Amino acid sequence: MKKVILLAAFGVAGFINAKTSEVKVLENKTEVSDVKPFQLCGVSVTYYDGDGNVSGYDMITSDQSSLQNCQMWQSLVIHRLQKAGFSVSMN
């Protein structure tokens, strides 16, 4: 009987505390205009040996915010490949 009374007392105390407690709600505010989506931009590279046989493949990628930025980045990658001594042809 003592256990039931003790259990009931804790139960009532729990209900009283639950009713008097404050609930704080945090809002996550993100302005849509500040968020810029990124899209994957890439350059596919095929390496050939001296005989014209394929010796390897590579995919160089980067996240870019616009088509114009992607095209500028691709031009930079192609320029760096040419500067490294590779012959570049676009198919």
Side-chain angles (χ1 to χ4, degrees):
M1 184 70 180
K2 291 180 184 179
K3 291 181 183 179
V4 173
I5 294 173
L6 186 61
L7 184 61
F10 282 125
V12 172
F15 286 127
I16 292 171
N17 282 340
K19 290 180 182 177
T20 59
S21 65
E22 293 182 21
V23 177
K24 295 181 181 179
V25 178
L26 300 176
E27 293 182 21
N28 186 6
K29 295 182 180 180
T30 304
E31 292 185 22
V32 176
S33 62
D34 291 343
V35 178
K36 292 186 179 179
F38 285 90
Q39 294 185 357
L40 189 61
C41 180
V43 175
S44 177
V45 181
T46 304
Y47 299 99
Y48 296 91
D49 61 11
D51 298 328
N53 299 321
V54 175
S55 62
Y57 298 98
D58 197 7
M59 184 70 173
I60 305 168
T61 60
S62 174
D63 289 330
Q64 298 296 324
S65 60
S66 68
L67 177 60
Q68 183 180 7
N69 288 345
C70 178
Q71 290 171 336
M72 289 188 312
W73 177 82
Q74 286 172 331
S75 296
L76 179 65
V77 170
I78 292 168
H79 176 72
R80 287 183 177 171
L81 287 169
Q82 287 173 333
K83 211 166 182 181
F86 291 99
S87 174
V88 176
S89 66
M90 295 191 219
N91 296 333

